[in-house]
Amino acid sequence: MSAPKQKLVVVGSGMAATRTIEHLLTIAPDRYQISIYGAEPHPNYNRILLSPVLAGEMAMGDIVLNDRDWYRQRGIRLHTGVKIAAIDRVRREVVTASGEREHYHRLLLATGSTPFRLPVPGIDLDGVITYRDIADTEAMIAAAANGGRAVVIGGGLLGLEAANGLRARGMQVTVLHVMPWLMERQLDPAAAQLLQQSLEARGIDFMLQAQTAELAGSDGRVRGVKLKSGELLEADLVVMAVGIRPNVALAEAAGLQVRRGIVVDDTMQTFDPRIYAVGECVAHRGVGYGLVAPLYEMAKVAAAHLAHAGITYYAGSVVSTKLKVTGIDLFSAGEFMGGEGCEEVVLRDRKRQIYKKLVLRNDKLVGGVLVGDTAHSTRYLEMIRTGADVRPIRHELMFLRDAA
């Protein structure tokens, strides 16, 4: 007789959680009876593709990764629109907001993150939204149907995607960014300037080093954004895209260690050996990750150890970004800003809107940023990760030959 299945409860139904389950079912399909609780009313979908949905290039149905039949066929109990309110570590149970309880032998936390909202007057006015999930996207689509003016606060990736989508739907859009250049976590000033020029050509306005003082409104609805400089921008819609914070309240209330995220070891295990955590809610060696690639690496390790087949460990990720911001190819990785002891190899082709910067230290590639031409980004990333000596190919590093 085979051993009875243990119960695995998963809190969170996003991309990191579901990728963990996909790996687990491949390694040990019969080990667990799996229950998944997701606060959103939808099954797993690709958050990265919310931007094409907002821009009208895709439909909501196009971004679903695992529909409800996928879960049913694998015997997984999927609970959508159900929030877990507490974890009882003594009884090894999760408690829903309605008071229902479910026992677990192993618990996987993938509670993700929450959009940060600036603590300014007027934040609760109608027409002020964040950009994080399907509900936010649908709210922006509905608002854009009336035209008018939109102000996007935040010049990071999500802010720029929101601005592009709203502009594509006919709104006049201004992006406010508190830093001196756009996407400062992924781009250097030269690359950011090239990106900004491309977006301005599409009709998006920018105000850099702009600090929001308050959101002005009347009759309970937002009407404008007042800056600390005193300037008032008219707005029928305000989108907050100023960063995220890990969702740690559930773990913290249960007594798990929380420092910048739910603290996990190299097996993705928390302070409680029965509880694992993956995704944006996690802090590994003091670092949190918000990009998909590191989250998927975590998922693979967590699945292996949940399957009792753990021979892999998570040692952290080289932070890299390869994406298409409103149709413009971008890539950055490692120490792309350079610094002491570094040298930079730079190519600028203004006519073709191409910018490349490779950062070297001690004959090793340690970082880079590419705009417009990202054809060799995978090879650059591999060099950064492995610390390969680039002296033999230094003369052709900027113009790598395609592999045979």
Side-chain angles (χ1 to χ4, degrees), residues 128-147:
V128 179
I129 60 177
T130 55
Y131 186 22
R132 188 67 185 155
D133 55 25
I134 283 179
D136 297 331
T137 306
E138 290 175 335
M140 281 192 278
I141 292 172
N146 300 319

Side-chain angles (χ1 to χ4, degrees), residues 157 160-161 164 182-183 187 191-202 204 206 322-331 352-355 370-374:
L157 173 60
L160 298 182
E161 294 287 16
N164 182 68
L182 301 175
M183 290 185 65
L187 302 178
Q193 184 180 38
L194 198 59
L195 173 62
Q196 182 176 333
Q197 290 170 351
S198 297
L199 295 176
E200 286 173 337
R202 300 181 186 196
I204 298 173
F206 293 90
K322 183 179 181 182
L323 40 83
K324 190 181 288 285
V325 177
T326 63
I328 303 161
D329 290 314
L330 302 175
F331 167 81
R352 296 171 58 206
Q353 295 283 285
I354 290 174
Y355 173 78
L370 313 174
V371 179
D373 179 5
T374 60

